[in-house]
Amino acid sequence: MGTERISPPLRGDERETLRAFLDFHRATLEMKCAGLSTEQLREQSSPPSTLSLLGLVRHLAEVERTWFRRVINQETDLAFVWSPERDFQVAYDASNATREEAFEAWRAEVEHSRRIEREAESLDVTGHFPRWGEDVSLRLVMLHLIHEYARHNGHADFLREAIDGEVGA
């Protein structure tokens, strides 16, 4: 796998460390998908699950979009990429998706997220998360995204191994 990851700093400040760990996990997802065709990326895990690497990329594009743009940047009217009903599960269905469209959407959302985080005055900046009916800090959002990527990268490990036997991160 050819995607390079930069290790998080051993003695960075809080924001630098959070940013680095989030980018580390983003790069891990990309690494797990490297060198695979659209068809391979669509391969599903064990039935009845429809989980696929391409579905994970699409899902994480929606997650980035929701937490950084809709919550922190308060773009409340922003639609989901793949679901008019704002259902995160719709993104998992990659049966008609292509590698190009999924990664283009994901990379665009990652860039929006990075810009929003860089422009935020501090990790204490808040946005409203309607599902919880609560305001949340940028710090919580970054930690939540790290958790989300780490969990799904565990899924990606198994998916990739099942496709071509490639293991390791």
Side-chain angles (χ1 to χ4, degrees):
M1 293 186 217
T3 303
E4 262 190 66
R5 294 178 302 174
I6 297 171
S7 295
L10 299 177
R11 290 172 297 285
D13 66 23
E14 181 184 18
R15 192 164 187 175
E16 177 186 13
T17 302
L18 289 173
R19 182 184 295 145
F21 266 98
L22 184 50
D23 279 339
F24 177 86
H25 283 294
R26 288 168 173 152
T28 300
L29 176 66
E30 195 155 15
M31 183 185 79
K32 286 295 175 183
C33 296
L36 297 177
S37 68
T38 292
E39 292 71 28
Q40 289 172 308
L41 290 169
R42 283 185 193 147
E43 286 187 29
Q44 297 176 349
S45 62
S46 58
S49 176
T50 59
L51 191 62
S52 69
L53 286 168
L54 202 54
L56 286 177
V57 172
R58 288 164 45 103
H59 171 71
L60 286 162
E62 295 286 22
V63 169
E64 294 264 4
R65 185 177 183 90
T66 293
W67 284 98
F68 283 96
R69 292 178 71 186
R70 294 184 69 234
V71 174
I72 295 299
N73 217 36
Q74 300 176 24
E75 297 175 42
T76 54
D77 293 335
L78 187 67
F80 273 39
V81 179
W82 291 284
S83 173
E85 300 81 27
R86 295 184 178 193
D87 181 353
F88 285 100
Q89 301 304 311
V90 171
Y92 284 126
D93 180 6
S95 56
N96 294 313
T98 66
R99 168 186 251 291
E100 294 74 24
E101 64 91 16
F103 274 95
E104 182 178 316
W106 176 72
R107 287 183 184 118
E109 293 307 327
V110 166
E111 286 311 309
H112 282 295
S113 298
R114 286 179 176 143
R115 177 187 50 78
I116 291 164
E117 183 272 321
R118 279 191 312 269
E119 292 174 358
E121 184 178 309
S122 76
L123 292 172
D124 295 322
V125 165
T126 61
H128 187 74
F129 188 54
R131 192 162 148 201
W132 294 347
E134 297 284 342
D135 288 346
V136 297
S137 68
L138 176 59
R139 177 182 294 102
L140 179 132
V141 168
M142 292 181 77
L143 284 167
H144 179 75
L145 267 282
I146 291 166
H147 164 82
E148 186 89 7
Y149 272 96
R151 184 166 51 95
H152 288 311
N153 283 337
H155 301 139
D157 283 339
F158 289 118
L159 288 162
R160 180 63 191 249
E161 186 176 5
I163 291 166
D164 66 359
E166 186 75 39
V167 295

